[in-house]
Amino acid sequence: MIQLYDKRFKLFLKEEEILAAVKKIAEEIAEDYKNQVPIFVGVLNGAFMFVSDFLKHYPYPCEVSFVKLSSYRGLTSTGIVETLLDVPDNIEGRSVIILEDIIDTGRTLQELVHLFNHTNVKDFKIASLFYKSEIYNGEYAIDYFGMEIPNSFIVGYGLDYKEQGRNLRNVYELYPDQMINLVLFGKPGAGKGTQAEFLKEEYSLIHISTGDVFRYNIKNKTKLGQLAQSYMDKGDLVPDEVTIKMLRDEVEKHPDSKGFIFDGFPRTVAQAQALDNLMESKEMKINATIALDADEEILLERLINRGKESGRPDDQNADRIRNRFEEYNTKTAPLQSYYESQSKFHSIDGVGAIEEITERIKGVIEGLRLVEQ
Ligand code: IMP
Ligand code: MG
């Protein structure tokens, strides 16, 4: 996932796939024009990378030139196409092949056809790397294209969003604007904190770990901290009112957030309902709950090791840890059906390399249909 200005984009095509499409067009055109010396006319700015890679795959004599038009501002076409750099002047009687980065509504193309109508070219063809066939409504049939793509906004490989993103080697697709609010589940030691660190970077989210907030308060001996301490010492959960109040404060601290990761809360169905109410009061909602699944014996070992390193007392005693597992099993497990009934529950294999687990979670997030249907 990448961010340009206020927008998030997710990977759509890898460099290899793009280059394969470029090569395919070059070979098709080479076959048709091998007995001539065509002029390739790239459409700036977007087509510069395409033209460059195209020419590397074009094996016969040819010339290259550029025109520059402009119609897009940000995400939507303005419909006004200006000519900023005109047709080359040596094209009379020549075969001209336009190299476009992308064909969307077809307005730019229409303007190009119009521009070249005034010239006495022998032959005029259009080649576009990407072609949004669903929304193209021009009359001119596209002669060559690398790949048909759905009607979404893409950046990279020459294509821009507000002039940025042209330098990216891969192509990325606009990701819906909605917030991503996640709940991370897992028994103690399942790796929620570790994964949350990656996810918050990747999706620009705010990570709210109730455990961390409690520990901070405890360390600083705040009123809430002392209260929470007394419960945590026994391996029990902190009362809901205290926790939800604290969460509300955390959410309110970040009014412009792109989303939140809730880690360590909710732990009961009652808390899940309270969280849903909190979300609703803010016109937000939980999009997905992701459970990191792992065997208790593996977790016990992880926790004991973590306890040795961090000195966290609740991580050093096997009985207390088992008590927390038990707590999770009896109170938290019913949350699964709560979230399943909302079709939000996703279980992830939490055993393996950290990056592998991150990839699994990203798969879930990027598969979410965030746009309301
Ligand atoms: P059309 O005139 O609507 O066909 O749009 C063509 C021009 O709009 C292209 O040359 C691009 O500059 C721009 N454009 C269209 N779709 C996209 C996109 O998905 N990403 C970036 N630019 C685009
Ligand atoms: Mg362009």
Side-chain angles (χ1 to χ4, degrees):
M1 184 90 36
I2 56 153
Q3 177 139 3
L4 299 173
Y5 294 100
D6 55 327
K7 302 282 180 231
R8 292 183 287 214
F9 296 83
K10 73 169 171 179
L11 184 63
F12 179 58
L13 293 167
K14 291 217 179 98
E15 189 176 20
E16 306 87 80
E17 299 172 87
I18 303 163
L19 293 178
V22 172
K23 191 161 176 253
K24 186 197 88 170
I25 304 188
E27 285 168 356
E28 277 174 32
I29 297 179
E31 191 50 38
D32 294 350
Y33 285 86
K34 60 185 171 203
N35 300 320
Q36 306 181 40
V37 182
I39 304 184
F40 294 114
V41 179
V43 184
L44 292 174
N45 291 330
F48 73 95
M49 276 207 196
F50 169 43
V51 173
S52 167
D53 285 328
F54 173 90
L55 291 173
K56 292 178 206 163
H57 287 105
Y58 191 83
Y60 305 118
C62 63
E63 293 176 23
V64 64
S65 188
F66 291 92
V67 290
K68 185 165 181 174
L69 303 172
S70 151
S71 80
Y72 246 76
R73 297 277 182 274
L75 295 174
T76 47
S77 183
T78 59
I80 304 157
V81 186
E82 299 167 76
T83 310
L84 305 172
L85 178 66
D86 219 333
V87 291
D89 44 32
N90 60 335
I91 58 168
E92 258 202 55
R94 305 288 300 273
S95 291
V96 170
I97 297 152
I98 298 291
L99 298 181
E100 256 283 32
D101 48 355
I102 188 161
I103 291 174
D104 187 283
T105 61
R107 285 195 202 101
T108 310
L109 174 58
Q110 197 182 351
E111 183 63 17
L112 281 166
V113 173
H114 185 74
L115 266 177
F116 283 87
N117 263 345
H118 303 302
T119 61
N120 288 319
V121 295
K122 177 176 154 227
D123 182 31
F124 179 79
K125 291 274 156 66
I126 300 285
S128 181
L129 177 56
F130 300 114
Y131 174 35
K132 297 185 190 173
S133 52
E134 285 168 30
I135 54 163
Y136 175 63
N137 59 15
E139 287 158 21
Y140 193 97
I142 313 303
D143 302 292
Y144 305 94
F145 58 85
M147 199 178 291
E148 282 184 71
I149 61 163
N151 179 20
S152 56
F153 190 83
I154 58 173
V155 292
Y157 196 74
L159 292 157
D160 70 304
Y161 169 56
K162 294 188 186 171
E163 293 304 322
Q164 288 190 16
R166 296 196 194 274
N167 55 326
L168 301 165
R169 288 167 171 260
N170 302 318
V171 165
Y172 299 80
E173 179 183 20
L174 181 66
Y175 197 69
D177 254 345
Q178 272 80 359
M179 291 179 94
I180 305 173
N181 295 309
L182 305 173
V183 172
L184 276 186
F185 280 128
K187 289 177 188 151
K192 299 190 294 288
T194 309
Q195 293 303 330
E197 281 306 305
F198 288 105
L199 298 176
K200 77 174 200 197
E201 279 302 311
E202 183 74 21
Y203 300 103
S204 318
L205 306 177
I206 303 292
H207 176 204
I208 302 182
S209 157
T210 36
D212 283 349
V213 179
F214 285 142
R215 277 187 288 278
Y216 172 85
N217 282 284
I218 287 165
K219 201 172 149 214
N220 294 286
K221 297 209 174 359
T222 64
K223 213 173 151 193
L224 172 70
Q226 289 177 356
L227 183 61
Q229 174 75 70
S230 60
Y231 293 94
M232 289 170 81
D233 276 351
K234 289 178 273 174
D236 286 341
L237 299 173
V238 176
D240 291 356
E241 319 86 72
V242 182
T243 316
I244 208 74
K245 196 159 171 278
M246 189 181 68
L247 289 186
R248 181 179 286 275
D249 288 350
E250 289 296 312
V251 169
E252 286 173 356
K253 275 186 208 162
H254 306 281
D256 298 325
S257 164
K258 290 189 173 291
F260 295 92
I261 304 172
F262 296 99
D263 160 7
F265 190 94
R267 292 194 182 184
T268 63
V269 171
Q271 289 182 351
Q273 278 157 349
L275 182 60
D276 276 349
N277 292 341
L278 168 61
M279 291 282 104
E280 215 177 293
S281 74
K282 305 257 165 231
E283 288 180 12
M284 292 160 55
K285 64 172 191 178
I286 298 297
N287 302 99
T289 64
I290 296 174
L292 295 172
D293 198 33
D295 191 80
E296 284 187 10
E297 290 313 304
I298 295 177
L299 295 179
L300 185 70
E301 200 184 304
R302 274 193 203 167
L303 280 176
I304 298 277
N305 287 333
R306 184 172 87 180
K308 280 183 199 145
E309 282 164 27
S310 71
R312 265 175 68 171
D314 58 340
D315 279 354
Q316 292 180 46
N317 179 306
D319 285 341
R320 276 205 217 169
I321 294 172
R322 287 191 204 281
N323 187 19
R324 282 154 70 204
F325 287 161
E326 195 46 37
E327 180 101 49
Y328 180 92
N329 290 337
T330 54
K331 290 193 183 162
T332 316
L335 280 172
Q336 177 166 346
S337 23
Y338 179 82
Y339 284 114
E340 268 169 357
S341 72
Q342 301 184 6
S343 309
K344 290 179 186 167
F345 188 82
H346 304 267
S347 183
I348 293 286
D349 179 4
V351 182
I354 289 173
E355 312 81 67
E356 276 168 21
I357 300 168
T358 309
E359 284 307 312
R360 289 174 202 149
I361 301 177
K362 280 164 67 176
V364 168
I365 296 174
E366 286 169 28
L368 291 174
R369 301 221 128 252
L370 293 177
V371 183
E372 299 291 11
Q373 305 283 314

